[in-house]
Amino acid sequence: MKTNKSVRGLQYVAAYVGALVSLYPIFLMLTSSFKTNIQILKNPMSLPTSISFTAYSKLIHQIPFGTYFWNSVVVSVVSVVLILLFGVLASFYIARYPFRWNGALFFFFLLGMMIPIKLGIVPLFLLMKKLALLNSIWSLVSVYTAIGMPLAVLILTGFFRTLPKELEEAARIDGSSDFGVMWHVLLPLIRPALGTVMIMNFIMAWNDFFFPLIFIQDDMKKTIPVGMLSLFGQYSTDLSMLFAGLTLASVPMIVMFFLASKQFMEGMTAGAVK
């Protein structure tokens, strides 16, 4: 009994140490945003001698950070909504309607996870040019939706297949349509999977640097990762503004994870126990 308590105590200590190690970079980023450049360079690990919001004021007034922030919100939210919409419809059809090419269609979606999309950046760029989507945030939305669909179909199809068909039969006896069965009966039961898909794709779209750099040239249409490049100079970098921008950019991800963390954890561990 004492051995079990000792092991559990060591586990708690290890968990707390791991949490502190993980949270310390966030704490350092937050405290550095209240320092000046000189303070950061002299004592990068120390606490600020005084709380100053000068870096945040400079960030908002010297660069169009609000525009970058709004562009990132629009791109990430619209991409996630489209991924969930099309992912749910495709997964419901694959999981609940057996037909001859069911397996081939499912494998077709999984091919998107096997082939790195960045290898096709040249034809993708030419395609966006022909569609007149270059220098538009809709080019990013279309690419992120395509990137997120394979994983969404994989996760959601697996969840749909675990649900008992008796639920559908009972709903159909009550006169429900196919869409009603999916929307009112099955969809509420796969909320953990929806939360997992939502968080993973939101973080992917919010943090992506590659595609906005390739597809967006207009400064007022850039997202945060590319817009923050203006803070890096050839000979000097305003570190306080950089940390302030990183702090503001991390807020939506932290809020979303707290709001959907329960569904995310349930989605990641679902199926481990019968």
Side-chain angles (χ1 to χ4, degrees):
M1 199 66 182
K2 291 182 178 180
T3 303
N4 292 337
K5 289 184 178 180
S6 300
V7 172
R8 180 166 296 183
L10 291 175
Q11 291 174 342
Y12 278 122
V13 171
Y16 285 129
V17 171
L20 289 175
V21 172
S22 301
L23 292 175
Y24 183 73
I26 300 177
F27 174 76
L28 186 63
M29 175 184 67
L30 178 62
T31 56
S32 297
S33 67
F34 298 115
K35 297 180 181 179
T36 62
N37 273 346
I38 297 177
Q39 291 176 341
I40 295 175
L41 293 173
K42 284 186 175 181
N43 298 302
M45 310 298 288
S46 64
L47 295 174
T49 55
S50 60
I51 302 298
S52 174
F53 293 93
T54 304
Y56 291 93
S57 178
K58 290 167 59 180
L59 179 71
I60 295 174
H61 291 94
Q62 292 187 12
I63 65 173
F65 184 82
T67 302
Y68 300 153
F69 191 92
W70 175 248
N71 292 338
S72 293
V73 170
V74 172
V75 169
S76 302
V77 171
V78 174
S79 300
V80 169
V81 170
L82 292 178
I83 290 170
L84 291 177
L85 174 62
F86 295 125
V88 166
L89 295 176
S91 302
F92 177 71
Y93 184 73
I94 292 173
R96 312 307 280 193
Y97 293 93
F99 55 96
R100 184 177 180 182
W101 300 103
N102 188 292
L105 180 61
F106 184 60
F107 182 73
F108 174 76
F109 278 104
L110 297 187
L111 282 177
M113 300 175 60
M114 305 175 190
I115 303 174
I117 192 172
K118 292 180 181 179
L119 294 180
I121 187 60
V122 174
L124 189 60
F125 182 87
L126 296 177
L127 176 63
M128 292 298 172
K129 184 178 181 180
K130 289 183 178 180
L131 294 175
L133 290 178
L134 282 181
N135 205 28
S136 169
I137 61 174
W138 299 110
S139 62
L140 303 179
V141 170
S142 60
V143 170
Y144 294 150
T145 303
I147 293 174
M149 278 294 294
L151 183 60
V153 170
L154 175 64
I155 295 175
L156 297 176
T157 301
F159 268 75
F160 275 123
R161 285 175 175 171
T162 61
L163 300 179
K165 292 188 177 181
E166 290 77 9
L167 295 173
E168 291 183 46
E169 295 171 357
R172 294 184 192 279
I173 291 175
D174 290 336
S176 179
S177 63
D178 291 344
F179 182 80
V181 170
M182 182 195 70
W183 184 262
H184 296 291
V185 179
L186 301 183
L187 206 59
L189 298 176
I190 64 168
R191 282 183 299 177
L194 296 177
T196 301
V197 172
M198 179 179 66
I199 290 178
M200 295 178 68
N201 285 286
F202 184 88
I203 293 176
M204 178 271 297
W206 185 268
N207 289 333
D208 183 59
F209 175 82
F210 181 77
F211 290 107
L213 182 65
I214 299 298
F215 294 145
I216 305 298
Q217 290 82 41
D218 188 350
D219 192 55
M220 300 306 292
K221 296 180 181 179
K222 293 179 179 178
T223 56
I224 291 178
V226 178
M228 295 287 286
L229 277 179
S230 60
L231 298 179
F232 292 89
Q234 183 177 1
Y235 302 105
S236 63
T237 300
D238 195 329
L239 295 176
S240 59
M241 286 179 60
L242 178 62
F243 282 116
L246 293 175
T247 301
L248 294 178
S250 64
V251 171
M253 291 188 293
I254 295 174
V255 171
M256 170 161 283
F257 187 80
F258 274 113
L259 292 177
S261 59
K262 182 179 179 181
Q263 284 75 18
F264 178 76
M265 296 306 298
E266 289 178 356
M268 295 298 290
T269 58
V273 181
K274 280 271 186 178

